[in-house]
Amino acid sequence: MHDDLMAKASAWLAEDPDQETRDELAKLIDAGDVEELSARFSGTLQFGTAGLRGELGAGPLRMNRSVVIRAAAGLAAYLKKQGHTDGVVVIGYDARHKSADFARDTAAVMTGAGLRAAVLPRPLPTPVLAFAIRHLGAVAGVEVTASHNPPRDNGYKVYLGDGSQIVPPADAEIAAEIDAIASLHDVPRPDAGWETLDDAVLEAYLARTDAVLAAGSPRTARTVYTAMHGVGKDVLLAAFARAGFPEPVLVAEQADPDPDFPTVAFPNPEEPGAMDLAFAQARTTDPDLVIANDPDADRCAVAVRDGGDWRMLRGDEVGALLAAHLVRRGARGTFAESIVSSSLLGRIAEKAGLPYEETLTGFKWIARVDGLRYGYEEALGYCVDPEGVRDKDGITAALLITELASVLKEEGRTLLDLLDDLAVEHGLHATDQLSVRVQDLSLIADAMRRLREQPPTELAGLPIVRAEDLTRGTEKLPPTDGLRYTLDGARVIVRPSGTEPKLKCYLEVVVPVSAHAGLPAARARATELLTAVKRDLSAAAGI
């Protein structure tokens, strides 16, 4: 085993084009560090529907130039087999460590394979890349980003020519092409020949952001904004200026790109503490709302004053607010969301006489819904301009929620007032998550197996009226590793995360409310139910 491991590592070292990872690997080989080498060479990073994502470092189980060159070569081979022999592949990247290198390697590989590569001019939000694919009529797009993962990670997201992320079977077909590459020496990588785009694509994207707002709508809401050390600031400020909103007050410590994300443990607005600096800024400037993007600006978080302090709205709350706003503006078309998002969207769509669809988790599925007008996912992802960006877009979502806040402000109301109205109209839909991060992935498999073999019959005293194993698929959903429990007045979905070592459980309870006076009691009941569902589910799953 030891000799085999050293041979694998030495063969990798001989091909590695990056001096930094070569030095790192050479040290491990010289030290005979079997444990660390095993952690890097006991398999390969799997290319799936999220593309690739992993920790930076040398070896096939890390993100590095060798892995990226193979991924790009596999994608190029796949595109050529699909008949796209001279199509354009657009490449975007964020400001993480190695992102620019990975983008340049991808451009070189595409050029060497006879495709035309076009690279965005600098680190820009992921939605600009998703827009560029459709705008330029490209056959595919690549975004180098690890979104809101920790600083040591990077990733590689692949889109096809419709501008949405890959879904099966394309992921498996690309993975097979990647596996077929014997040696990096077989992959031509010229030093030039690709195009670096100018700002025309960004200008076209910004021109489209105007279209998400209603002509002549109020633009008075004042905001505090954090880019969370990512790439959102310049594009968001430009979009807000074009729209005529007051200039957002920046959270200065987090405004500019920094791949080390020094002020946050996890650069994800949903993580505890990530919004602390934004709230501190809001306490001094007293805006109407706080807006945050994640580092690649495809997600949007919203916080509001609630009583004496600031509170972040859940993704499901923002999802419902944007839906209600679009309905009020007379939007037509299909409203869609993933199965882990709140069922309130379905109620809003039904009342407005609009078609409604549920999809598997991920915008790669939501974006494919026929006639899509609006789609959202509880993890702070919103698609408010599907013709322009077939993916979640934290910039246009920020514009739309600020327009809604402005409309309500003119009426002397707030986002929380509208949420109260929706609860009275459709029932109080309260959601929560039970999320367990593990070091040992087998714990997730054990929990899923336990729930399958001994499914609970009730949670929080509510009988389970339907239990579905989603690996079998349903009438409307393709198979996925997950379980769905429908209860009398509640819903639970359990699934392993696709991008992190987590087991995720999505909980929703619906409490009827007949009038605004009944809201405090309904909220108390919802909190009590969610707490009890969490407790009983943890026990049933053994986590």
Side-chain angles (χ1 to χ4, degrees):
M1 162 66 196
H2 178 262
D3 292 348
D4 183 37
L5 183 61
M6 288 300 171
K8 269 187 192 167
S10 299
W12 185 274
L13 180 65
E15 287 190 350
D16 191 338
D18 187 330
Q19 194 59 49
E20 198 179 325
T21 43
R22 286 172 65 83
D23 293 347
E24 182 189 316
L25 186 53
K27 268 189 195 146
L28 293 173
I29 293 170
D30 292 345
D33 190 338
V34 173
E35 190 181 347
E36 187 58 33
L37 287 168
S38 296
R40 292 155 182 256
F41 284 89
S42 57
T44 53
L45 269 190
Q46 288 306 298
F47 186 91
T49 49
L52 294 166
R53 206 178 277 187
E55 192 176 334
L56 289 163
L61 275 170
R62 297 285 182 270
M63 281 298 292
N64 50 63
R65 290 182 59 200
S66 300
V67 163
V68 164
I69 289 164
R70 286 174 182 273
L75 173 60
Y78 166 83
L79 290 170
K80 286 163 81 171
K81 280 195 178 165
Q82 299 291 315
H84 303 304
T85 44
D86 65 344
V88 175
V89 178
V90 200
I91 301 150
Y93 58 103
D94 68 11
R96 282 178 179 263
H97 293 297
K98 296 279 184 195
S99 287
D101 295 345
F102 295 167
R104 191 175 56 247
D105 282 330
T106 302
V109 170
M110 294 301 162
T111 304
L115 292 150
R116 289 178 291 148
V119 186
L120 291 179
R122 58 184 170 280
L124 286 166
T126 294
V128 177
L129 180 273
F131 167 81
I133 296 165
R134 292 167 69 81
H135 181 67
L136 298 173
V139 297
V142 169
E143 176 71 20
V144 180
T145 181
S147 190
H148 54 270
N149 275 38
R152 61 178 186 273
D153 288 4
N154 213 328
Y156 198 80
K157 223 179 203 182
V158 176
Y159 297 76
L160 293 180
D162 62 353
S164 55
Q165 295 173 54
I166 53 169
V167 293
D171 55 341
E173 290 168 14
I174 295 167
E177 297 292 348
I178 295 170
D179 291 344
I181 293 150
S183 163
L184 285 193
H185 300 311
D186 302 338
V187 181
R189 293 198 328 274
D191 292 331
W194 56 88
E195 180 187 0
T196 300
L197 294 164
D198 59 19
D199 278 355
V201 166
L202 179 58
E203 276 304 310
Y205 168 82
L206 284 168
R208 231 194 123 91
T209 62
D210 303 348
V212 305
L213 302 174
S217 62
R219 311 275 164 98
T220 52
R222 294 178 313 108
T223 53
V224 159
Y225 171 71
T226 175
M228 205 78 48
H229 299 297
V231 298
K233 177 192 73 172
D234 292 347
V235 178
L236 182 126
L237 289 180
F240 270 59
R242 291 178 71 111
F245 287 114
E247 185 177 346
V249 174
L250 299 177
V251 178
E253 304 94 323
Q254 299 176 333
D256 293 315
D258 186 332
D260 294 318
F261 304 104
T263 67
V264 286
F266 274 88
N268 176 357
E270 291 182 295
E271 292 283 344
M275 296 288 284
D276 287 358
L277 288 170
F279 291 166
Q281 180 70 64
R283 287 178 201 118
T284 59
T285 49
D286 196 29
D288 297 299
L289 67 168
V290 174
I291 285 176
N293 285 138
D294 66 339
D296 69 326
D298 62 351
R299 288 176 165 82
C300 175
V302 180
V304 294
R305 183 179 283 290
D306 188 1
D309 206 0
W310 288 83
R311 165 171 91 81
M312 187 143 125
L313 295 178
R314 291 188 160 277
D316 284 319
E317 292 177 309
V318 176
L321 287 167
L322 291 174
H325 182 44
L326 288 169
V327 164
R328 183 171 167 179
R329 276 181 28 185
R332 308 307 299 160
T334 302
F335 280 26
E337 65 181 338
S338 61
I339 55 170
V340 298
S341 306
S342 169
S343 59
L344 177 55
L345 184 69
R347 307 250 177 124
I348 291 170
E350 185 183 16
K351 180 136 196 204
L354 296 175
Y356 163 77
E357 289 284 339
E358 261 190 331
T359 73
L360 291 185
T361 312
F363 262 81
K364 55 184 180 276
W365 299 108
I366 294 170
R368 285 184 156 65
V369 166
D370 275 349
L372 182 67
R373 173 61 186 88
Y374 168 64
Y376 98 90
E377 184 152 85
E378 55 69 49
L380 311 184
Y382 315 94
C383 173
V384 301
D385 176 25
E387 288 310 303
V389 176
R390 278 282 155 95
D391 199 5
K392 52 188 178 290
D393 182 346
I395 307 290
T396 48
L399 286 170
L400 197 61
I401 197 76
T402 309
E403 177 184 60
L404 172 58
S406 301
V407 169
L408 292 166
K409 186 179 179 177
E410 302 296 296
E411 298 169 355
R413 286 157 40 85
T414 67
L415 295 174
L416 292 180
D417 293 328
L418 179 52
L419 282 172
D420 286 350
D421 292 351
L422 291 172
V424 172
E425 193 174 354
H426 303 287
L428 176 70
H429 289 61
T431 55
D432 203 355
Q433 243 195 65
L434 171 63
S435 184
V436 186
R437 187 180 286 275
V438 298
Q439 291 294 313
D440 177 1
L441 283 173
S442 70
L443 296 173
I444 292 178
D446 290 348
M448 294 298 287
R449 191 178 64 244
R450 186 178 283 119
L451 288 169
R452 285 191 167 103
E453 289 171 1
Q454 299 167 305
T457 54
E458 62 166 44
L459 295 168
L462 302 173
I464 290 176
V465 292
R466 190 162 84 234
E468 296 166 282
D469 186 342
L470 299 176
T471 44
R472 303 194 180 103
T474 71
E475 277 176 40
K476 294 205 162 179
L477 298 171
T480 186
D481 185 10
L483 298 163
R484 176 162 62 179
Y485 303 119
T486 307
L487 296 88
D488 194 5
R491 184 217 63 199
V492 172
I493 288 172
V494 184
R495 62 180 276 273
S497 166
T499 52
E500 298 173 276
K502 280 182 175 179
L503 182 69
K504 290 185 154 183
C505 311
Y506 302 84
L507 324 172
E508 178 175 47
V509 299
V510 184
V511 180
V513 194
S514 53
H516 282 76
L519 280 168
R523 285 209 174 88
R525 172 68 179 147
T527 303
E528 181 190 317
L529 279 173
L530 286 169
T531 304
V533 170
K534 264 190 191 177
R535 181 196 63 221
D536 295 354
L537 188 61
S538 291
I543 46 176

